[in-house]
Amino acid sequence: MIMSTRNFVSLGIMTGTSLDGVDLSIIKSDGCNNVIFLGGKTFAFDSYLKRSIISILGSKRRDSVIDIIERKYTDYIIRKISHFLKLRKEKIDIIGFHGQTITHNPKLKFSWQLGDANRIYNFFKTKTVYDFRSNDIINGGCGAPLTPIFHRLLKNKYKMKNVIFINLGGISNLTYVANNSTIKAFDCGPCCSILNDLIKNKLNKSFDLNGHLALRGKTNFKIVNSLLKNDYFEIKPPKSLDRMEIETDQLYNLDICDALATANTFIAETIFVGITKFINDFDDIIILGGGRKNKDLIKKIKNKFDKKILIAENLGIDGDLAEASAFAYLAIRSIKKLPISFPETTGVLKPVSGGKIVK
């Protein structure tokens, strides 16, 4: 039996639904109350791999094409880990491998993350934790979000009061952690995935650097109001969302600057709606994830609230590596059979651990 006080050095690997690349983060933690961030790095996807993954989004079953793409994706992950670890002196005890979500359908109790954890284990000979979502789904949860227990750790580490963490990734999700450590969490709506899809379609670029194009655009409020009529925004949390679940085709009829500005207004509104509908009292908002670099989006979020809003770096947190660090932490909790999801965060019937282990 593993002693609960033991610290592990864990490498977290995250490729999010925004499909911009892989984040690697090393932490040292007991999986409970202590964490030291030891560093990390982000690597961009090459265009071929990104196109390949996009081509299979929404898939429900395996075929020979998906097998080939999974192998190429796993090879890419192995190469980037190898390159990263050559620059490091730490001995890694655990690898937490989230994989690439290609389909997440909580209504059908189905979530599929691409990636071969066995090949990662065989290459590095390091205990590898993967498939973090299935046990939650089997036990009645919707499989996401899984980062709230990590956000509670951050709240305690940085001695915050009633705080909301907002992760601006492919999907925006939030975690509310109260002073008494009560947690509430849910996905707010689509986020960087729709921005990146727009600019890829219109200009064949990967993203709107710092939101500069969006800053030049004008919001089409008719489209924003239409998008906000989706039933998802009325569902009480906990709840989670697939990047393809909300139809945003209307945005493609606009000029690219107006489309991005309109999308950012929509994203800010979904966050505002989620908070005002389902969270009663909070002191601060902390923003994590790649979307925090989008000046237009951040301006629009700040304009919706009269509370203090901080970017992760204001606290000394690397906002790009937060999710990778979270899955490094969840891997340790999985090894120790500690719960990683809870009724208040995913709707699971009882707190459960998760993550399958290759060793």
Side-chain angles (χ1 to χ4, degrees):
M1 182 175 178
I2 298 169
M3 296 299 291
S4 62
T5 56
R6 179 179 169 185
N7 285 288
F8 290 88
V9 177
S10 181
L11 170 65
I13 306 163
M14 184 68 194
T15 62
T17 52
S18 56
L19 297 172
D20 48 4
V22 59
D23 300 320
L24 304 178
S25 177
I26 302 176
I27 68 168
K28 185 175 184 178
S29 175
D30 61 355
C32 296
N33 303 314
N34 301 316
V35 65
I36 300 171
F37 298 104
L38 299 177
K41 191 171 178 63
T42 295
F43 297 92
F45 278 150
D46 64 65
S47 58
Y48 174 78
L49 180 59
K50 185 172 182 176
R51 286 197 308 271
S52 298
I53 294 171
I54 289 172
S55 74
I56 60 172
L57 292 177
S59 297
K60 302 291 194 304
R61 61 181 65 84
R62 284 193 172 276
D63 58 31
S64 58
V65 172
I66 290 177
D67 288 342
I68 292 169
I69 294 171
E70 181 169 62
R71 186 172 186 87
K72 289 184 180 298
Y73 166 77
T74 306
D75 286 344
Y76 165 85
I77 295 294
I78 289 171
R79 287 197 305 273
K80 297 311 178 187
I81 296 173
S82 298
H83 175 77
F84 176 61
L85 292 182
K86 283 178 183 176
L87 307 175
R88 311 293 308 184
K89 63 181 183 298
E90 297 91 357
K91 181 185 181 301
I92 304 299
D93 301 311
I94 303 168
I95 294 174
F97 174 52
H98 176 268
Q100 177 65 58
T101 298
I102 58 171
T103 305
H104 179 74
N105 191 328
K107 292 176 184 174
L108 298 179
K109 300 295 182 182
F110 180 76
S111 190
W112 185 1
Q113 284 70 48
L114 202 69
D116 189 338
N118 286 282
R119 289 188 61 227
I120 291 174
Y121 169 77
N122 288 333
F123 190 92
F124 294 103
K125 302 301 181 188
T126 300
K127 194 175 295 183
T128 301
V129 184
Y130 72 106
D131 190 9
F132 290 89
R133 302 187 187 276
S134 289
N135 198 43
D136 177 83
I137 290 171
I138 289 167
N139 284 279
C142 55
L146 294 183
T147 49
I149 189 65
F150 176 73
H151 293 151
R152 188 174 73 181
L153 174 71
L154 293 181
K155 174 199 178 295
N156 294 334
K157 180 178 177 66
Y158 295 100
K159 297 178 171 58
M160 290 179 271
K161 296 182 180 179
N162 301 304
V163 62
I164 295 173
F165 292 91
I166 300 174
N167 180 61
L168 300 177
I171 301 289
S172 67
N173 57 67
L174 69 78
T175 303
Y176 169 65
V177 191
N179 276 339
N180 63 4
S181 289
T182 298
I183 301 178
K184 181 181 287 188
F186 54 93
D187 289 344
C188 299
C191 191
C192 296
S193 58
I194 57 174
L195 301 174
N196 294 351
D197 288 351
L198 275 168
I199 201 162
K200 182 67 176 176
N201 177 275
K202 297 269 190 179
L203 300 179
N204 198 30
K205 293 184 178 180
S206 296
F207 55 90
D208 180 13
L209 182 63
N210 297 325
H212 286 161
L213 290 174
L215 284 167
R216 289 159 44 188
K218 293 183 178 179
T219 293
N220 183 314
F221 286 98
K222 183 177 179 181
I223 290 178
V224 171
N225 292 332
S226 173
L227 292 172
L228 288 170
K229 290 178 181 175
N230 191 287
D231 291 343
Y232 179 79
F233 304 114
E234 297 298 325
I235 298 171
K236 291 182 179 179
K239 56 182 179 176
S240 70
L241 189 70
D242 184 79
R243 79 189 296 276
M244 302 176 74
E245 192 171 337
I246 293 180
E247 183 58 69
T248 57
D249 281 0
Q250 301 167 74
L251 295 170
Y252 289 83
N253 298 323
L254 303 176
D255 160 86
I256 184 58
C257 294
D258 291 349
L260 291 167
T262 302
N264 281 338
T265 299
F266 169 58
I267 293 164
E269 287 290 343
T270 65
I271 291 167
F272 179 74
V273 166
I275 290 174
T276 53
K277 272 183 177 292
F278 305 119
I279 296 174
N280 296 321
D281 183 45
F282 64 95
D283 296 296
D284 299 312
I285 294 176
I286 313 298
I287 298 183
L288 312 162
R292 79 194 187 288
K293 298 176 182 176
N294 188 309
K295 293 178 181 178
D296 182 64
L297 177 56
I298 295 303
K299 181 178 76 171
K300 285 170 174 169
I301 293 172
K302 286 184 174 180
N303 286 343
K304 298 299 297 183
F305 297 97
D306 58 3
K307 302 276 188 173
K308 183 165 66 173
I309 296 180
L310 300 174
I311 303 300
E313 282 73 12
N314 296 143
L315 295 174
I317 301 168
D318 188 321
D320 285 328
L321 301 179
E323 280 204 285
S325 299
F327 280 94
Y329 179 71
L330 294 177
I332 296 170
R333 290 184 69 86
S334 297
I335 291 289
K336 294 188 170 187
K337 295 183 170 50
L338 295 170
I340 66 169
S341 59
F342 305 83
E344 303 81 9
T345 62
T346 67
V348 70
L349 297 175
K350 61 182 180 180
V352 296
S353 190
K356 296 176 183 174
I357 302 166
V358 187
K359 57 183 179 178

